[in-house]
Amino acid sequence: MAAFRVGARAVEGGRFQANGGGMASSRLQAPPKNPPNREEVALRGKPRSNHLAAAAKLRRRAGPMPLWRVAVFVSVALNVATLALLLYHYAAPPPPHHHHQHSRLTASSEGSLAAAARREDRTTMAPSTGKPAVTPDSVINLDHGDPTMFEAFWRETGDAAELVIPGWQTMSYFSDVTNICWFLEPELDQQVRRLHRTVGNAAVDGYHVLVGTGSTQLFMAALYALSPAAASAEPISVVSTAPYYSSYPAVTDFLRSGLFRWAGDASSFEGDDYIELVCSPNNPDGTIREAVLASKPGGKTVHDLAYYWPQYTAITKKADHDIMLFTVSKSTGHAGTRIGWALVKDRAIAEKMTKFVELNTIGVSKDSQLRAAKVLAAVSDGYEPSEADARVGARAPRLFDFGRRKMVERWSMLRAAAAASGIFTLPEETSGFCNFTNETAATNPAFAWLRCDREDVDDCASFLRGHKILTRSGAQFGADPRYVRVSMLDRDDAFDIFVRRLSSFKSGEGEADGVSTAIWEHV
Amino acid sequence: MAAFRVGARAVEGGRFQANGGGMASSRLQAPPKNPPNREEVALRGKPRSNHLAAAAKLRRRAGPMPLWRVAVFVSVALNVATLALLLYHYAAPPPPHHHHQHSRLTASSEGSLAAAARREDRTTMAPSTGKPAVTPDSVINLDHGDPTMFEAFWRETGDAAELVIPGWQTMSYFSDVTNICWFLEPELDQQVRRLHRTVGNAAVDGYHVLVGTGSTQLFMAALYALSPAAASAEPISVVSTAPYYSSYPAVTDFLRSGLFRWAGDASSFEGDDYIELVCSPNNPDGTIREAVLASKPGGKTVHDLAYYWPQYTAITKKADHDIMLFTVSKSTGHAGTRIGWALVKDRAIAEKMTKFVELNTIGVSKDSQLRAAKVLAAVSDGYEPSEADARVGARAPRLFDFGRRKMVERWSMLRAAAAASGIFTLPEETSGFCNFTNETAATNPAFAWLRCDREDVDDCASFLRGHKILTRSGAQFGADPRYVRVSMLDRDDAFDIFVRRLSSFKSGEGEADGVSTAIWEHV
């Protein structure tokens, strides 16, 4: 992949993953407030009608038996009421026009009327749905690694990953006063260790587990913990081999810290003391990375293993570096939950990293920690059934099977489209033997590192923007602007439209589209 | 309160709210894994027994009517099964020894066996319980403002503040791509505005609502947004009138930012450009504050209004400053949820603050945002019943009534104890007319600013530590170490033991306790 490292330049702070989109996407129409939801409709429909039917049947057969009749109707009424209640817990908030039906169903006394009323309020608690739905003419925003591809999987898991939090739970700042990371929920600690043991992608024995508000916060925590303590010391140099994740320079420099300073491409670094960031598989280009400066004495490394999971690459060994960063955003797709974790060998480093999170945000959302624990448990259950599931021969859905299937499918679609276009090239496919699946598997990176070969295109990102495809320029990764990074993790509809547009590119079409290019370049 | 501002000194970074406790508390025994829970037991008990009783009655009366009998039993069985299911959503995870009863209840087919099994797993998802329970001999840790006093209120609100999140919800990084704060859940935005309108403590019209991982993150975001942009510029001075919240200097300086720098007590500040932090009611001493440097041209102010709520002070006016910070930690007691919000007038400032949160943590937990929205809605409902509640004459519990009652009670207990001790003094009580309650109300600060008057005690914090009471020294607030800050928001048992110990102090007892003082001073 050496060819991909040409034209490496350090970039200044300010450019960042979610940024371009915060701006760009704001041009799109707002997301629908209450998206219709198949499961929910099904849930509301079936059971009720079953019971009413049963009641009717009983009524028809009713002989002169008043006491029995009463018993039956009381019983049926109870069924209907409890089921109606139950549905509010299993179903997502139904669209407004369904409310009254529901509250009437449970309105058998003033008490339950009040309850129904309060539940009716609850249905107004509408969660966001992320980026708006797309149409064939939409702007397709693949600038960020928004992992909405995984929603389809979690919709199929029923209540296995559903979280219920009573109003009085986890109100304290503290989770475990006996743990170095005193704000870490013990359940998350356990589920993180369990999943790594199940997958075999990282060593956990003898490691401290730390939780952060996404792995970005733990990245900053690591820089803080690895910086020289002496007030007199110069800021330590932070480096990574180009192309490197565009947020590394931005996050390192945005506060102009006197503790650490971005120093660009590791492969051209000259100094002695440094922190090398090793992202493997690498964001943006999916290559498997090793530290390049590891030999030097004053050197420290942070391994960002956000993408070292079976849906993206072969699990070839159990990673056992000093500091390893992971996140649910890329492993399970729960980016909105903002939970990352670090596996840290050294106690003193773990304490300093914990101190950073304490000073930065006084700990990490316990609601999200519990949700992450729930989700990781559901993933492990798929491959290592719990005793309870095993007893009854049940098996939870398997996330990595789903993820691998989708990624293989999408990569073959993309390679076909690039070939059809005649002007785009992609990194060649690599593969390895996966100890988790026990078979040879190709790498299917979460991002495509796409190069435009047209002589008249020296800025691939703005060329694609001219075709209403938002990507991130290679320049932001310290690389050649003829490259762009494209997210492979968006919803099916967006990905399909992207691939269709890409395959329709022909030399010269760029000009034909000059107008819309102009439009987009002036926003 | 001028007398309280003597001996003001800037303090260095490192000392911080949750810090002392992370250390100090680690000496206490670990929290119990599955605390018994009254509500839950009640919930599990009643409905089931009702139905079994009903079934039994029907069995006794059963004539020679096989078809009816079948119908009734099927129906009753359905009741029991659905209710059992339902209870798993309403009740908190029951202690392990209850599991089997439950799964047997719903084990009518392999499908439901599997479901029951999975629910059994769910019950192992044990959330943390915060600091361990205390006994009369325990170390009482009142170093932090851990707001567990409010748990008692939320235990009484039933499902009004319960959050249910399906596995597939809010997975995207984005909440509303049309909002400056693109990661803000629209529902939280609405409930924040609704609560401020209900309470009348802050203006919201024409303000941008921003969300942060606690208000600490938004405090840093404000410093970032108010700092000079020019790379050449000197770091701007950050000041606050002593005694000031001990985290201000720590959070301002821990990364040695080139953008801003802690400059100590505002009342003795000489320079031109500055950011003045105004905390009102003030942490630690509860005084009502105004900016003292507001007249200067290069000056900017950030108003920390975390405690400007009716349980702590009279709401005398609708605050309408440029940047106002709030948090659920102190308003509703949900510190573990880590949600704070800022009300910001200027669009450019709102954009820069949003950028900070984006670079620091790529947004804020959506799970916690939805929980905060749920909780704030429940608070507003208590004072401004929803249409649905109004229709049926239902009224949600009233948080501020509960909070005010508790604070009045605790402050009178504390004043009595201080008087009894003969060696401790407290700030004199102040009061004002509250526009929210329409009556004159005394201020009941969330912290007691306690002074030890014994000649031989010049460090009140270590003197109290000698009596197994952990507080925060006045020195950490830029004030006299004869003062300590004591949390008034802990659970009843801890507060009662604290007050009892305090009232038992007599001049000379310190010596008698010299041994334990020695012990604790060597930790």
Side-chain angles (χ1 to χ4, degrees):
Chain A
M1 312 303 290
F4 282 5
R5 308 233 177 92
V6 296
R9 292 178 246 113
V11 302
E12 282 140 32
R15 303 203 209 82
F16 189 67
Q17 176 119 12
N19 173 22
M23 305 290 97
S25 324
S26 62
R27 286 187 231 98
L28 314 179
Q29 72 278 27
K33 272 277 174 287
N34 266 321
N37 169 347
R38 275 171 290 88
E39 288 82 337
E40 160 207 328
V41 174
L43 261 167
R44 273 209 312 284
K46 284 190 213 113
R48 195 197 313 155
S49 52
N50 291 349
H51 286 78
L52 295 181
K57 194 139 117 274
L58 294 169
R59 246 180 264 106
R60 278 196 303 280
R61 297 166 158 280
M65 300 271 143
L67 227 171
W68 284 117
R69 198 175 286 141
V70 171
V72 171
F73 285 135
V74 165
S75 192
V76 169
L78 265 160
N79 269 317
V80 175
T82 36
L83 272 167
L85 262 163
L86 183 59
L87 295 180
Y88 275 93
H89 283 272
Y90 276 98
H97 60 276
H98 288 295
H99 295 180
H100 297 294
Q101 250 177 329
H102 268 282
S103 43
R104 250 187 263 107
L105 257 178
T106 51
S108 55
S109 78
E110 189 185 299
S112 65
L113 241 183
R118 210 163 292 108
R119 278 192 305 281
E120 200 167 303
D121 288 353
R122 168 185 300 174
T123 62
T124 64
M125 201 66 53
S128 63
T129 57
K131 287 182 294 182
V134 292
T135 69
D137 305 328
S138 298
V139 170
I140 301 300
N141 185 350
L142 301 176
D143 182 4
H144 324 100
D146 203 26
T148 44
M149 177 188 86
F150 293 97
E151 283 171 351
F153 173 82
W154 292 107
R155 281 180 182 276
E156 302 310 318
T157 57
D159 68 345
E162 178 179 274
L163 182 66
V164 180
I165 311 181
W168 50 266
Q169 236 174 43
T170 57
M171 292 178 67
S172 172
Y173 286 105
F174 300 99
S175 289
D176 179 0
V177 294
T178 65
N179 191 330
I180 286 178
C181 190
W182 52 267
F183 47 79
L184 170 62
E185 284 291 302
E187 187 64 37
L188 179 58
D189 187 339
Q190 288 169 38
Q191 294 300 339
V192 160
R193 294 177 188 273
R194 179 184 169 207
L195 183 59
H196 283 304
R197 288 197 183 98
T198 304
V199 174
N201 60 338
V204 288
D205 299 324
Y207 278 82
H208 302 281
V209 174
L210 310 180
V211 65
T213 308
S215 58
T216 305
Q217 186 178 36
L218 291 169
F219 164 75
M220 290 186 77
L223 298 186
Y224 174 77
L226 296 176
S227 304
S232 58
E234 276 293 290
I236 191 165
S237 297
V238 179
V239 298
S240 188
T241 303
Y244 40 71
Y245 178 25
S246 50
S247 87
Y248 291 158
V251 172
T252 303
D253 283 345
F254 79 111
L255 286 173
R256 296 200 203 130
S257 173
L259 300 176
F260 41 78
R261 177 179 44 202
W262 179 250
D265 189 350
S267 52
S268 56
F269 178 71
E270 293 302 338
D272 293 327
D273 294 354
Y274 63 85
I275 300 171
E276 179 178 0
L277 310 172
V278 182
C279 185
S280 182
N282 188 45
N283 174 358
D285 65 2
T287 53
I288 303 303
R289 292 275 185 95
E290 302 278 345
V292 301
L293 302 176
S295 54
K296 298 203 180 186
K300 292 152 178 169
T301 58
V302 176
H303 282 75
D304 179 347
L305 303 184
Y307 303 95
Y308 191 44
W309 294 100
Q311 65 267 52
Y312 304 120
T313 188
I315 303 304
T316 55
K317 63 168 182 289
K318 189 186 285 184
D320 59 357
H321 310 288
D322 292 349
I323 302 178
M324 300 183 278
L325 305 182
F326 293 90
T327 169
V328 290
S329 303
K330 310 306 180 180
S331 53
T332 72
H334 291 82
T337 288
R338 310 306 312 121
I339 291 293
W341 66 91
L343 301 178
V344 179
K345 246 183 208 165
D346 182 77
R347 183 188 174 95
I349 298 291
E351 283 168 351
K352 275 196 80 176
M353 287 179 72
T354 300
K355 170 63 68 180
F356 175 92
V357 176
E358 172 187 314
L359 287 163
N360 187 189
T361 56
I362 320 186
V364 175
S365 161
K366 304 201 187 314
D367 313 308
S368 284
Q369 288 189 62
L370 292 174
R371 187 176 184 197
K374 198 71 195 287
V375 163
L376 296 186
V379 175
S380 292
D381 288 347
Y383 296 93
E384 187 196 59
S386 65
E387 280 182 24
D389 278 0
R391 264 206 312 283
V392 298
R395 207 182 74 180
R398 298 187 146 192
L399 176 74
F400 301 124
D401 296 30
F402 168 90
R404 155 97 10 195
R405 196 169 57 249
K406 295 293 281 186
M407 296 308 287
V408 166
E409 181 184 301
R410 288 182 171 200
W411 269 96
S412 64
M413 286 168 70
L414 178 62
R415 290 187 184 279
S421 77
I423 59 170
F424 292 107
T425 51
L426 290 160
E428 66 277 11
E429 184 174 281
T430 62
S431 68
F433 184 80
C434 181
N435 301 329
F436 175 66
T437 57
N438 280 316
E439 57 188 23
T440 300
T443 59
N444 295 285
F447 296 103
W449 187 234
L450 190 70
R451 184 182 200 279
C452 181
D453 297 323
R454 261 175 56 157
E455 278 74 13
D456 62 338
V457 174
D458 50 15
D459 179 345
C460 185
S462 55
F463 173 66
L464 287 172
R465 204 181 307 114
H467 296 266
K468 297 193 191 170
I469 300 170
L470 305 181
T471 61
R472 190 166 302 176
S473 169
Q476 296 195 36
F477 302 90
D480 185 332
R482 275 171 299 183
Y483 287 97
V484 292
R485 190 195 72 171
V486 184
S487 170
M488 297 290 287
L489 302 182
D490 216 292
R491 297 186 179 111
D492 284 341
D493 54 2
F495 184 79
D496 294 347
I497 294 168
F498 159 66
V499 167
R500 221 171 299 119
R501 281 192 202 161
L502 205 67
S503 58
S504 74
F505 277 83
K506 288 280 166 291
S507 174
E509 217 178 83
E511 285 71 52
D513 233 285
V515 185
S516 65
T517 307
I519 289 167
W520 285 96
E521 275 172 358
H522 284 88
V523 179
Chain B
M1 312 303 290
F4 282 4
R5 307 234 177 91
V6 297
R9 289 177 250 113
V11 303
E12 283 140 33
R15 303 203 208 80
F16 190 68
Q17 176 121 11
N19 173 22
M23 306 289 97
S25 326
S26 63
R27 283 186 234 100
L28 314 179
Q29 72 278 25
K33 271 276 171 289
N34 266 321
N37 169 350
R38 275 172 290 91
E39 289 82 337
E40 157 208 327
V41 174
L43 258 168
R44 272 207 315 283
K46 285 192 212 105
R48 192 198 316 155
S49 51
N50 291 350
H51 287 76
L52 295 182
K57 195 138 115 271
L58 295 168
R59 243 179 267 108
R60 278 195 304 278
R61 296 166 159 278
M65 302 268 137
L67 228 172
W68 284 118
R69 198 173 287 142
V70 172
V72 172
F73 286 137
V74 165
S75 191
V76 169
L78 265 161
N79 271 318
V80 176
T82 36
L83 272 168
L85 262 164
L86 182 58
L87 295 179
Y88 274 92
H89 285 271
Y90 277 99
H97 60 278
H98 289 295
H99 295 180
H100 296 294
Q101 252 177 327
H102 267 283
S103 43
R104 250 186 263 108
L105 256 178
T106 51
S108 55
S109 79
E110 188 185 299
S112 63
L113 241 182
R118 212 163 290 109
R119 278 192 306 283
E120 199 166 307
D121 287 353
R122 168 187 302 177
T123 62
T124 65
M125 203 64 56
S128 63
T129 56
K131 288 183 293 181
V134 292
T135 68
D137 306 327
S138 297
V139 171
I140 301 301
N141 185 349
L142 301 176
D143 182 5
H144 325 101
D146 203 26
T148 44
M149 178 187 87
F150 292 97
E151 283 171 351
F153 173 82
W154 292 107
R155 280 181 183 275
E156 302 311 319
T157 57
D159 69 343
E162 178 179 274
L163 181 66
V164 179
I165 310 180
W168 50 267
Q169 237 174 42
T170 58
M171 291 178 67
S172 172
Y173 285 104
F174 300 99
S175 289
D176 178 1
V177 294
T178 66
N179 191 331
I180 288 178
C181 190
W182 52 267
F183 48 79
L184 170 62
E185 284 291 301
E187 187 64 36
L188 179 58
D189 187 340
Q190 288 169 40
Q191 295 299 339
V192 160
R193 293 176 189 275
R194 179 184 170 207
L195 184 59
H196 283 304
R197 288 197 181 96
T198 304
V199 174
N201 60 338
V204 290
D205 299 325
Y207 278 82
H208 302 281
V209 174
L210 310 180
V211 65
T213 308
S215 58
T216 305
Q217 185 177 36
L218 291 168
F219 165 75
M220 290 186 77
L223 299 186
Y224 174 76
L226 297 175
S227 303
S232 58
E234 276 294 288
I236 191 166
S237 297
V238 179
V239 298
S240 187
T241 303
Y244 40 70
Y245 178 25
S246 49
S247 87
Y248 291 159
V251 173
T252 303
D253 283 344
F254 79 111
L255 286 173
R256 296 199 205 132
S257 173
L259 300 176
F260 41 79
R261 176 178 44 201
W262 178 251
D265 189 350
S267 53
S268 56
F269 178 71
E270 293 302 337
D272 292 328
D273 295 353
Y274 62 85
I275 300 171
E276 179 178 1
L277 310 171
V278 182
C279 184
S280 182
N282 188 45
N283 174 0
D285 66 0
T287 53
I288 303 303
R289 292 275 185 95
E290 302 279 346
V292 301
L293 303 175
S295 55
K296 298 201 181 185
K300 292 152 178 168
T301 58
V302 175
H303 281 75
D304 179 349
L305 303 184
Y307 303 95
Y308 190 44
W309 295 98
Q311 64 268 50
Y312 304 121
T313 187
I315 303 303
T316 56
K317 62 168 184 291
K318 190 186 285 185
D320 59 357
H321 310 286
D322 292 348
I323 302 178
M324 301 183 279
L325 305 182
F326 294 90
T327 169
V328 290
S329 304
K330 310 306 179 180
S331 53
T332 72
H334 290 83
T337 288
R338 309 307 310 122
I339 290 292
W341 65 90
L343 301 177
V344 180
K345 246 183 207 162
D346 181 76
R347 183 188 172 93
I349 298 291
E351 284 169 351
K352 275 195 80 177
M353 288 179 70
T354 300
K355 169 63 68 179
F356 175 92
V357 176
E358 173 186 311
L359 287 164
N360 186 188
T361 56
I362 320 185
V364 175
S365 161
K366 302 199 190 314
D367 313 308
S368 283
Q369 289 190 62
L370 292 174
R371 189 177 183 195
K374 198 69 195 289
V375 162
L376 296 186
V379 175
S380 291
D381 287 347
Y383 296 93
E384 188 195 58
S386 65
E387 279 182 24
D389 278 359
R391 265 207 312 285
V392 297
R395 208 183 75 180
R398 299 188 143 190
L399 176 73
F400 301 126
D401 295 31
F402 168 90
R404 155 98 8 196
R405 196 168 57 248
K406 295 292 280 187
M407 296 307 286
V408 167
E409 184 183 298
R410 289 182 169 200
W411 269 96
S412 63
M413 285 168 70
L414 178 61
R415 290 187 185 278
S421 76
I423 59 169
F424 292 107
T425 51
L426 290 160
E428 65 278 10
E429 184 173 281
T430 61
S431 69
F433 183 81
C434 181
N435 301 329
F436 175 66
T437 57
N438 281 313
E439 58 188 25
T440 300
T443 58
N444 296 286
F447 295 103
W449 188 233
L450 190 71
R451 182 192 153 95
C452 182
D453 297 324
R454 262 176 56 158
E455 279 74 14
D456 62 338
V457 174
D458 49 16
D459 179 346
C460 185
S462 56
F463 173 65
L464 288 172
R465 204 180 307 117
H467 296 268
K468 297 193 191 171
I469 300 170
L470 306 181
T471 61
R472 191 166 302 175
S473 170
Q476 297 195 34
F477 303 90
D480 185 332
R482 275 171 299 185
Y483 287 97
V484 291
R485 188 195 74 170
V486 184
S487 169
M488 297 290 287
L489 303 182
D490 216 293
R491 297 184 179 113
D492 284 341
D493 53 1
F495 184 79
D496 294 346
I497 294 168
F498 160 65
V499 167
R500 220 171 301 120
R501 279 189 203 165
L502 205 68
S503 58
S504 74
F505 277 85
K506 288 280 166 290
S507 173
E509 217 179 85
E511 286 71 51
D513 233 283
V515 185
S516 64
T517 308
I519 290 165
W520 284 97
E521 275 172 358
H522 284 89
V523 179

